Amino acid sequence: MEYQSGFGNHFSTEAVPGTLPVGQNSPQQVAHGLYAEQLSGSAFTAPRNENRRSWLYRIRPSVAQGAFIKAERGLWRAHPFDEVPPNPNPMRWDPPAIPKEPTDFLHGLITLMGNEGSAVHLYVVNAGMENHFFYDADGEILIVPQQGSIVVRTELGELHVAP
């Protein structure tokens, strides 16, 4: 895995060679049917030469991708968390056993608890995602491995997360 170091530098990465437009940021036609989007990291009052931004070339939103296919959610839960009444007693959890069958990140998420604004999940993984993708549009996510490591591919590059 290669890392690009330095603050304030300019970097270019691409998942598929030949995708980035040469000499322009927002072409009329982007390769592979992608669309250009600029993500600003500066206040709108910053002088133009001090603006920090990222140009992302993304796939079309899910509404343009065709019919929705429901995935099994396994032990992953979301609000309103009303399947089991709350238990006020102190509790402890052992780490989940590593499954014998291949389990990717999406199918290895286990919800421990949650409320209206947040949730706590564990994950157990022993296989790559292959042709599945996880997208978190609701908020921030913190991934903390207990054992082993995980490679997370984001819109802004790859992260190698290890304990």
Side-chain angles (χ1 to χ4, degrees):
M1 182 162 297
E2 281 185 40
Y3 285 98
Q4 300 172 334
S5 62
F7 288 113
N9 293 337
H10 294 264
F11 300 112
S12 298
T13 63
E14 54 189 353
V16 178
T19 301
L20 287 177
V22 179
Q24 53 187 327
N25 289 328
S26 188
Q28 288 183 351
Q29 297 274 338
V30 180
H32 309 293
L34 303 175
Y35 72 97
E37 181 177 72
Q38 181 176 248
L39 175 66
S40 177
S42 303
F44 72 93
T45 56
R48 180 174 284 196
N49 66 333
E50 294 178 17
N51 279 344
R52 300 287 179 226
R53 62 194 167 276
S54 296
W55 280 95
L56 307 173
Y57 302 92
R58 303 169 56 149
I59 62 172
R60 296 281 171 193
S62 60
V63 296
Q65 296 295 333
F68 169 76
I69 300 170
K70 185 174 181 174
E72 281 296 320
R73 69 180 196 172
L75 296 174
W76 186 354
R77 299 293 181 261
H79 185 264
F81 301 107
D82 57 1
E83 292 177 31
V84 177
N87 185 340
N89 298 312
M91 294 183 214
R92 305 288 185 266
W93 295 276
D94 290 327
I98 297 182
K100 294 182 181 8
E101 65 281 346
T103 304
D104 64 19
F105 183 78
L106 183 61
H107 296 95
L109 280 169
I110 303 163
T111 302
L112 289 181
M113 66 188 91
N115 62 22
E116 192 169 326
S118 64
V120 176
H121 312 280
L122 293 177
Y123 72 94
V124 58
V125 175
N126 64 4
M129 291 286 282
E130 301 302 324
N131 291 322
H132 294 102
F133 300 90
F134 172 79
Y135 179 72
D136 177 30
D138 292 334
E140 298 166 347
I141 191 166
L142 173 65
I143 298 172
V144 182
Q146 173 182 313
Q147 174 182 339
S149 63
I150 186 171
V151 175
V152 181
R153 290 182 178 89
T154 75
E155 293 171 316
L156 298 174
E158 290 187 347
L159 301 171
H160 182 243
V161 183

